[in-house]
Amino acid sequence: MNMIKYIFFLGRKPLLSLAELVSVLPPETEYLALQKEFLSVALPAELPTPQKLLDRLGGTTKIVKVDLESRSGQLAQMISDLAAEKFQGRTDKIRYAISLHSLTGTSEQLLKNSLMLTKKKLKKSELSSRFVNNNFQNPPTALLLGENILGKGAEFCAVEMDGGNWQIGQTVAIQNINDYTARDFERPERDPKLGMLPPKLAQILINLSGVRPEAADSEKSSIYDPFCGIGTILMEGILMGMDVTGSDLSAENIDKCRKNLDWLNKMVTDKRAALVARLGAEAVDKQPLGKSRLFNKDATKIIKSDLPTNLGAIVSETFLGPPVSRTPTPSQIEETQAMVENLLAGFLTNLQPLLPKNATVVLTLLAYRDENRYLTLTKLHQHLEKFGFAADPLLPEPVIKALGLDAKAAETMIYERPDQTVCREIVRLKPLP
C-alpha cells in the first residue's frame, strides 16, 4: 500500500495530544516518530478534509502533508522547486510563508536562504510574489490566519527528524485560534470559580471518549456531562454534531449553561448565514449542530432514565476542590483530596450499573503540583475495581512501542499551566462487566 505521510504539530502537552490523535486517526495509521511537538505518521489515504479534522482537535495546532524528504544541503532548493510547481500558472500576486523546525536549533540561516531562493525562483518563472515571514522568522499562527495564507497562497514547512533528514511539505490545516478565543471569552457566562475548562481541553476529552457522531453505530452517538457547570464540554460536543446531555447540582449553573448553549447556536447560525451570503451555500459546512438537554441534579443520584438513550460516553470535568488563591498546605491538600475522593466514589458506584455495555468514561480529576511531582487521587485509583471500573490507558501499547516512548511517562496525563498548583489528571475508565 502506498502510504501518505503527514506531520501533526502538537500543543503544549504532546503526549496528551498524541493520545487524542490515536483516538481519531484510522487504525491502519503508522506512527513513525514523535520528536518534541512533532508527530510523523503515515496514513493509507489522504485526509479528505484536513481543516475540518483540525477544527475538532484540541491538541493539534497544524497539519502538514509531506511531499519530499531531504538533507539540509538540498533544503532551500527543494522548497523553491516545490513552490514553483505549486504556483505554476498563477497570474495574481502570490503570498507564501516558509517555516523550518530544527531539532538542533540551527535553522535561521536555512530559513533565510529558503525564502530568498524561493522568491528568485518564482520571479524567474514570471510569478509575482511576496513572503509573509517577518524578519526571516517562522510565521506565528495569527499572521498566517490574518494573511489567509491557505486561501491565497501556501505555507511550506520542513521539520528536521532524527539523523538530520528533513521532511518537507505543505500546510493543509491551521488551528483557528480566533474561534477558540471567541468560544472562551465571548460567551455570555464565564465563572473562574468553576475552574475555567479550556475549549481545547474539552475537545480532547470528547475525542478520547471515542464517540463519533458520523459513525455507523448511531446508537452510541451522544455524550453526557453530569458536572456540566457552564457547559464547555457540551458546547464542543454540539459543534462536533453530537447530541449532548448535561446536569449539575447547581440550578444557577444550569441557567448559565443554557445561556451559553443558546449563544453558541446563534453565533454559529449567524456565521454560516454570513458565509452563505458571501461565498455561496457550497462553501459552508453543512454538518448540523447537535441537540442539547439540561437538568438540575446531584451527580451521585443519577438514575437510568436520566441518561440519554443513545449514550456513548460520560465526559466530564469533575470537582477540582474549592478555589484557592495560594498553594494549599499539605494538610489542606490531604483534606481536599479526601473530600473529592469521597464524592467521586459515590458518583462512580452509583453510575456503573446504569451504563450501557462498552460505554466510556473520560474525566478530569483533581491533582496538585508539588515542585517536580504531581499529587493525584491515589486512593481513588487504588479502589477503581471496587467502584466497578478499570483504567483504560490513553496510549495503547503498540503506539508506545512504535514511537519508543517511556511507558511510565504515558501512564498519567496531566494538564496544567506553568503557574498553576491545582492541575487536572485526565483518565479514561471502562465499566467492569
Side-chain angles (χ1 to χ4, degrees):
M1 183 183 293
N2 201 11
M3 303 289 276
I4 300 170
K5 291 184 179 179
Y6 287 89
I7 298 175
F8 292 85
F9 285 47
L10 308 181
R12 291 188 308 105
K13 310 297 289 185
L15 286 181
L16 185 58
S17 301
L18 170 62
E20 180 188 29
L21 277 168
V22 171
S23 298
V24 301
L25 291 178
E28 305 83 10
T29 301
E30 293 181 13
Y31 293 87
L32 305 177
L34 175 65
Q35 298 181 3
K36 292 188 176 179
E37 70 274 24
F38 308 110
L39 172 67
S40 175
V41 306
L43 300 178
E46 281 194 35
L47 293 172
T49 52
Q51 188 61 56
K52 188 173 181 179
L53 171 64
L54 184 60
D55 287 343
R56 62 180 290 178
L57 289 172
T60 301
T61 62
K62 188 187 293 188
I63 304 175
V64 173
K65 182 186 175 187
V66 177
D67 296 298
L68 306 162
E69 296 194 34
S70 166
R71 304 295 293 183
S72 61
Q74 305 169 305
L75 190 62
Q77 184 63 52
M78 296 186 80
I79 290 175
S80 66
D81 290 345
L82 189 61
E85 182 181 352
K86 166 76 175 179
F87 297 131
Q88 185 177 11
R90 289 274 293 264
T91 57
D92 57 328
K93 188 161 187 175
I94 298 160
R95 307 176 195 180
Y96 69 92
I98 299 174
S99 63
L100 305 185
H101 304 270
S102 171
L103 299 180
T104 57
T106 58
S107 61
E108 286 189 11
Q109 189 59 46
L110 268 175
L111 177 57
K112 186 173 183 179
N113 292 344
S114 300
L115 287 164
M116 298 308 296
L117 186 59
T118 298
K119 188 164 183 64
K120 284 183 181 179
K121 182 73 177 260
L122 295 177
K123 185 176 181 180
K124 188 176 180 180
S125 301
E126 299 183 346
L127 295 169
S128 176
S129 69
R130 72 175 178 89
F131 55 80
V132 303
N133 299 62
N134 292 328
N135 301 317
F136 300 104
Q137 300 295 310
N138 285 340
T141 298
L143 176 62
L144 296 174
L145 292 174
E147 293 281 353
N148 187 19
I149 204 69
L150 298 190
K152 298 186 176 181
E155 183 192 30
F156 305 96
C157 285
V159 177
E160 184 185 23
M161 312 306 284
D162 271 344
N165 286 322
W166 289 78
Q167 292 190 349
I168 308 165
Q170 299 176 52
T171 300
V172 292
I174 299 172
Q175 185 181 77
N176 194 326
I177 55 176
N178 298 325
D179 281 357
Y180 285 107
T181 299
R183 298 203 298 272
D184 198 358
F185 296 101
E186 295 178 16
R187 54 186 167 176
E189 297 293 342
R190 301 180 79 246
D191 192 343
K193 293 180 181 179
L194 297 179
M196 299 304 293
L197 178 71
K200 291 181 184 180
L201 181 54
Q203 286 183 320
I204 291 173
L205 298 177
I206 294 170
N207 286 323
L208 288 174
S209 76
V211 175
R212 303 286 176 266
E214 69 277 10
D217 185 5
S218 60
E219 293 182 359
K220 298 179 180 178
S221 60
S222 73
I223 60 171
Y224 169 42
D225 183 354
F227 301 88
C228 70
I230 58 174
T232 305
I233 288 173
L234 304 184
M235 288 172 65
E236 297 307 317
I238 286 172
L239 285 174
M240 292 182 188
M242 299 176 185
D243 290 341
V244 301
T245 298
S247 63
D248 199 278
L249 177 63
S250 165
E252 181 182 0
N253 287 347
I254 291 296
D255 288 339
K256 290 180 177 180
C257 180
R258 184 171 286 108
K259 289 179 183 177
N260 282 338
L261 299 189
D262 289 344
W263 170 84
L264 177 71
N265 276 277
K266 185 177 186 307
M267 181 193 72
V268 174
T269 301
D270 291 349
K271 184 177 180 180
R272 287 181 176 179
L275 286 173
V276 168
R278 184 161 59 92
L279 303 174
E282 294 302 317
V284 179
D285 183 7
K286 297 177 178 61
Q287 175 179 284
L289 296 177
K291 299 181 178 63
S292 64
R293 177 171 68 95
L294 301 175
F295 61 96
N296 175 211
K297 196 162 191 178
D298 184 337
T300 65
K301 297 178 181 178
I302 298 298
I303 59 176
K304 183 74 173 179
S305 60
D306 291 325
L307 301 181
T309 55
N310 58 344
L311 178 68
I314 304 289
V315 183
S316 192
E317 164 108 293
T318 64
F319 183 48
L320 300 180
V324 295
S325 57
R326 64 189 68 175
T327 303
T329 65
S331 62
Q332 288 173 328
I333 289 176
E334 187 176 338
E335 181 180 345
T336 300
Q337 285 182 321
M339 175 183 64
V340 173
E341 284 173 329
N342 185 59
L343 166 66
L344 294 176
F347 164 64
L348 292 173
T349 302
N350 178 70
L351 177 68
Q352 198 276 346
L354 308 179
L355 291 176
K357 185 180 179 181
N358 297 326
T360 304
V361 178
V362 178
L363 305 173
T364 66
L365 303 179
L366 170 67
Y368 290 99
R369 180 170 49 194
D370 181 18
E371 296 182 351
N372 294 323
R373 66 187 182 123
Y374 295 103
L375 305 175
T376 60
L377 300 179
T378 307
K379 292 181 181 178
L380 184 76
H381 288 288
Q382 290 173 343
H383 293 96
L384 275 178
E385 189 171 338
K386 176 182 175 183
F387 308 138
F389 288 89
D392 183 18
L394 297 179
L395 280 178
E397 189 175 344
V399 174
I400 291 174
K401 287 184 177 180
L403 297 175
L405 302 177
D406 180 353
K408 288 187 177 179
E411 284 179 358
T412 300
M413 300 279 186
I414 300 288
Y415 185 94
E416 91 285 12
R417 298 196 178 279
D419 58 344
Q420 286 182 326
T421 299
V422 179
C423 312
R424 297 171 170 95
E425 181 186 14
I426 315 301
V427 298
R428 183 168 60 199
L429 309 177
K430 287 286 189 181
L432 294 172

